[in-house]
Amino acid sequence: MKILLLGATGDVGRATLDQAVQRGHVITAVARRPDALVAGAPNQIKQVALDVLEMQEDLADLAGNHDVIISALRPIEGQEPLLVPMTRAALGAASAADIPILVTGGAALLKLADGSGHTVLSAPDFLPDSVRPIAEACAAQDALLDTRPDVAWTCLRPPAMLHDGPCKGRYTWGQDTLVIDSEGQSEISFADFGSALIDLAEQSSRPNRRLTVAWGMAA
């Protein structure tokens, strides 16, 4: 496949790039700063320096020669509200090129596995104050998706904890509730999250849907 990967130098982006390379796909790796692009890339990776907010027409043109877009875009700390316009630009490129897009979402609107009905964002004392801005931005990003029925999008939302770690090659899928393991933990490594994104990219059926993935068994 020809994959256009946005946010290729972030944690999720790098992990997704590694998984795509291992599976033999051809990737256009997009990042805003030229000095942050992947160094020593193999022949199957094309590196492009592009700001998705400032160069939206260029992004749409670039998308036209690809099979799917994977958006791993994340704003820097302090600029969390930019997640919505960044995602809007990615969706616009997918619409212009008439190709599907996989969007890295957030866990904010996933329900807790305790049956309380609370989400990660609404549950009292669940989120540290330091991550509330990005959680609120992810909730707004999620709402944006429903305004784009013209785009074949899939949103993959991470579990409560997304961190460095091994690629175990196994994970459990869920929909609107945090996936937990036998000890009640909801977590996955960047490597396995990237692998799950490539799993979705390789699927031929692309209904508009929201999914989540984590290690362990679903609640």
Side-chain angles (χ1 to χ4, degrees), residues 14 22 27 35 41 48 51-52 78 89 106 114 123 137 140 142 156 165-166 168 171-172 175 205 212 215:
R14 289 182 185 277
Q22 290 179 31
I27 309 98
D35 61 344
V48 175
D51 187 316
V52 300
D114 59 8
D142 196 271
L156 184 61
K168 298 182 179 181
Y171 27 82
T172 299
Q175 296 184 357
S205 176
T212 187
W215 291 331

Side-chain angles (χ1 to χ4, degrees), residues 75-169:
I76 62 173
E77 185 176 355
Q79 297 184 10
E80 289 85 357
L82 288 179
L83 180 61
V84 170
M86 292 166 72
T87 304
R88 184 180 296 115
L91 292 167
S95 178
D98 193 24
I99 58 174
I101 181 170
L102 305 177
V103 177
T104 300
L109 298 183
L110 290 173
K111 297 176 184 176
L112 301 189
D114 59 8
S116 66
H118 275 297
T119 66
V120 168
L121 185 58
S122 71
D125 302 320
F126 188 87
L127 281 179
D129 289 342
S130 60
V131 300
R132 185 163 289 275
I134 189 60
E136 292 173 345
C138 287
Q141 176 197 47
D142 196 271
L144 171 66
L145 295 174
D146 286 329
T147 71
R148 298 304 301 261
D150 59 310
V151 182
W153 56 262
T154 300
C155 180
L156 184 61
R157 301 188 282 195
M161 292 181 286
L162 179 61
H163 52 66
D164 287 323
C167 185
K168 298 182 179 181

Side-chain angles (χ1 to χ4, degrees), residues 49-86:
L50 187 149
D51 187 316
V52 300
L53 291 178
E54 299 295 331
M55 307 169 68
Q56 295 187 35
E57 290 186 3
D58 292 337
L59 177 61
D61 290 342
L62 183 63
N65 192 36
H66 294 81
D67 299 308
V68 63
I69 297 174
I70 299 179
S71 174
L73 294 167
R74 276 294 181 272
I76 62 173
E77 185 176 355
Q79 297 184 10
E80 289 85 357
L82 288 179
L83 180 61
V84 170
M86 292 166 72

Side-chain angles (χ1 to χ4, degrees), residues 106-107 110 120 126-128 157-165 178-181 183-190 192-193 212-215:
L110 290 173
V120 168
F126 188 87
L127 281 179
R157 301 188 282 195
M161 292 181 286
L162 179 61
H163 52 66
D164 287 323
L178 285 174
V179 173
I180 60 174
D181 62 19
E183 298 181 354
Q185 297 298 310
S186 177
E187 61 179 327
I188 199 170
S189 65
F190 292 117
D192 275 327
F193 191 82
T212 187
V213 68
W215 291 331

Side-chain angles (χ1 to χ4, degrees), residues 24-37:
H25 298 300
V26 176
I27 309 98
T28 301
V30 175
R32 184 172 55 87
R33 297 195 339 265
D35 61 344
L37 288 172

